[in-house]
């Protein structure tokens, strides 16, 4: 639906996309009970109320079979709560995430939650409880507040989570996690936040790791004696990106123990120990090394 084709509607199509103004789309007075996907790419911040025509388009009857719901910057009062058993993907702007908290907590079979659709990368500071969403595979958004995750056996993507929330998780249960980003942000005084190497080595299937700190926060990596003595660290890890990290010791002896590492990026990192050293046998598969 756009400016020219809004008058052509169908009650049998399964995928609907709104490219412009939601109010023009909502003027269509019909209900499509076959809708499987609804995507909105129009104006951001538009509020759809309980009594609007759009509510007749996306109510408990028309959303019954919905599997993909991409709302973008649309704020929406849902008449349907808890009965969207087929919904697998939900995409929203992080700026409006708190607006949907109650709704999200009831999506028991949701597999992908993407709250990173706004270009500004809005930080979600509220406590987010996803413990009832046991089918989650991909969680994307800047979750700086407490992030509560229950059965995480299916989780494959977690971008991004604060170090406080990360340290509270049971890392040994994240058996399928492949993509992890830990993000630290502060608007007040400077503080130092530790990230344990041991917690990362428990992720046997991790392929992509990104640690990012900004605005006065100093992430530093703790290396326990047990990690130092390991011959191989994170055997599946292929890409490591560190932004704003403070090293208290040379990190290269740890990185070169990652047998599948192909990309290593250090951006705005700090190390006061002088030179970094790499053995002749280190980094057997490294293709990209970047210092910024």
């Amino acid at each position: 639906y756009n400016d020219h084709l809004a008058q052509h509607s169908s009650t049998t199509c399964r995928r609907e996309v709104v490219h412009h103004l939601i109010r023009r789309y909502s003027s269509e007075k019909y209900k499509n009970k076959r809708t499987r996907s609804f995507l909105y790419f129009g104006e951001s911040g538009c509020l759809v109320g309980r009594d609007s025509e759009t509510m007749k388009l996306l109510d408990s009857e028309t959303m019954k079979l919905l599997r993909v719901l991409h709302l973008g910057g649309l704020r929406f009062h849902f008449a349907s709560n808890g009965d969207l058993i087929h919904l697998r993907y939900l995409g929203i702007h992080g700026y409006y995430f708190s607006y949907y908290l109650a709704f999200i907590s009831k999506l028991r079979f949701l597999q992908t939650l993407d709250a990173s659709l706004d270009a500004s990368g809005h930080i979600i500071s509220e406590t987010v409880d996803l413990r009832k969403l046991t089918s989650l595979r991909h969680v994307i958004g800047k979750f700086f507040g407490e992030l509560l995750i229950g059965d995480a056996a299916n989780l494959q993507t977690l971008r991004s989570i604060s170090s406080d929330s990360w340290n509270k998780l049971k890392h040994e249960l994240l058996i399928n996690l492949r993509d992890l980003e830990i993000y630290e942000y502060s608007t007040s005084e400077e503080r130092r936040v530790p990230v344990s190497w041991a917690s990362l080595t428990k992720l046997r299937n991790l392929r992509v790791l990104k640690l990012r700190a900004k605005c006065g926060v100093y992430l530093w990596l703790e290396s326990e004696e047990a990690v130092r003595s390991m011959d191989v660290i994170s055997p599946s890890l292929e890409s490591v990106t560190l932004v704003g990290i403070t090293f208290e010791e040379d990190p290269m002896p740890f990185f070169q123990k990652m047998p599948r590492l192909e990309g290593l990026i250090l951006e705005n990192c700090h190390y006061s120990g002088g030179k970094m050293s790499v053995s002749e046998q280190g980094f057997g598969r490294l293709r990209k090394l970047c210092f910024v």
Side-chain angles (χ1 to χ4, degrees):
Y1 305 90
N2 55 36
D3 287 341
H4 305 291
L5 301 177
Q7 70 272 19
H8 301 295
S9 61
S10 172
T11 58
T12 59
C13 67
R14 295 192 176 192
R15 290 175 290 274
E16 300 180 85
V17 180
V18 180
H19 290 283
H20 198 51
L21 300 179
I22 190 69
R23 292 184 180 89
R24 297 185 183 181
Y25 168 73
S26 63
S27 64
E28 303 293 336
K29 299 182 181 297
Y30 74 94
K31 287 188 176 183
N32 184 0
K33 299 180 182 180
R34 296 174 179 267
T35 300
R36 302 295 195 275
S37 302
F38 180 88
L39 290 81
Y40 174 72
F41 296 102
E43 60 184 357
S44 179
C46 183
L47 176 62
V48 180
R50 291 184 175 87
D51 299 325
S52 69
E53 287 295 327
T54 308
M55 284 302 299
K56 299 177 182 179
L57 298 173
L58 293 176
D59 58 15
S60 58
E61 186 176 358
T62 59
M63 296 175 68
K64 188 175 182 180
L65 300 178
L66 201 65
R67 295 180 64 86
V68 174
L69 181 58
H70 182 108
L71 292 174
L74 189 66
R75 288 188 296 161
F76 200 92
H77 286 294
F78 282 98
S80 174
N81 274 321
D83 55 354
L84 300 181
I85 61 174
H86 296 288
L87 193 64
R88 298 295 183 265
Y89 171 90
L90 175 63
I92 56 178
H93 277 205
Y95 187 80
Y96 300 117
F97 190 85
S98 59
Y99 196 83
Y100 296 106
L101 272 176
F103 171 71
I104 293 173
S105 64
K106 298 178 181 180
L107 303 176
R108 294 177 296 145
F109 301 105
L110 190 70
Q111 294 182 359
T112 300
L113 174 60
D114 189 351
S116 66
L117 302 184
D118 51 325
S120 61
H122 182 77
I123 292 175
I124 302 169
S125 58
E126 298 86 0
T127 296
V128 179
D129 190 349
L130 304 178
R131 287 176 293 185
K132 293 183 180 180
L133 282 62
T134 57
S135 298
L136 273 177
R137 297 181 182 179
H138 309 283
V139 178
I140 305 171
K142 290 186 176 179
F143 298 97
F144 182 65
E146 186 172 9
L147 181 62
L148 304 175
I149 301 177
D151 184 2
N154 296 318
L155 196 63
Q156 298 178 20
T157 304
L158 182 55
R159 303 196 309 261
S160 55
I161 183 174
S162 70
S163 61
D164 290 337
S165 294
W166 171 254
N167 292 332
K168 294 177 182 178
L169 294 180
K170 296 181 179 179
H171 308 118
E172 62 275 8
L173 300 181
L174 301 172
I175 56 177
N176 289 309
L177 190 62
R178 300 177 182 180
D179 190 338
L180 170 65
E181 179 176 350
I182 299 177
Y183 179 85
E184 277 302 328
Y185 176 87
S186 177
T187 57
S188 56
E189 72 278 0
E190 296 182 353
R191 60 194 182 101
R192 291 164 61 85
V193 182
V195 175
S196 171
W197 271 111
S199 68
L200 302 175
T201 58
K202 294 178 181 179
L203 309 175
R204 308 302 296 177
N205 291 308
L206 188 66
R207 297 180 181 178
V208 178
L209 172 65
K210 188 171 187 177
L211 305 181
R212 177 189 292 270
K214 64 182 300 184
C215 294
V217 179
Y218 293 93
L219 272 175
W220 88 87
L221 297 174
E222 293 182 328
S223 56
E224 296 80 355
E225 185 60 36
V227 178
R228 290 192 184 96
S229 62
M230 297 174 63
D231 295 328
V232 175
I233 299 176
S234 302
S236 299
L237 201 56
E238 298 176 356
S239 174
V240 174
T241 302
L242 306 178
V243 182
I245 305 300
T246 298
F247 300 110
E248 296 192 339
E249 58 184 287
D250 186 357
M252 293 304 172
F254 299 97
F255 293 138
Q256 67 184 11
K257 291 182 179 182
M258 301 174 182
R260 298 186 62 182
L261 188 64
E262 296 183 3
L264 176 60
I265 300 175
L266 304 180
E267 180 179 343
N268 294 328
C269 294
H270 305 277
Y271 172 58
S272 58
K275 295 182 179 180
M276 294 182 180
S277 60
V278 179
S279 68
E280 293 182 1
Q281 293 76 28
F283 296 114
R285 300 184 62 175
L286 192 67
R287 297 183 177 183
K288 180 179 180 179
L289 178 62
C290 183
F291 296 92
V292 183

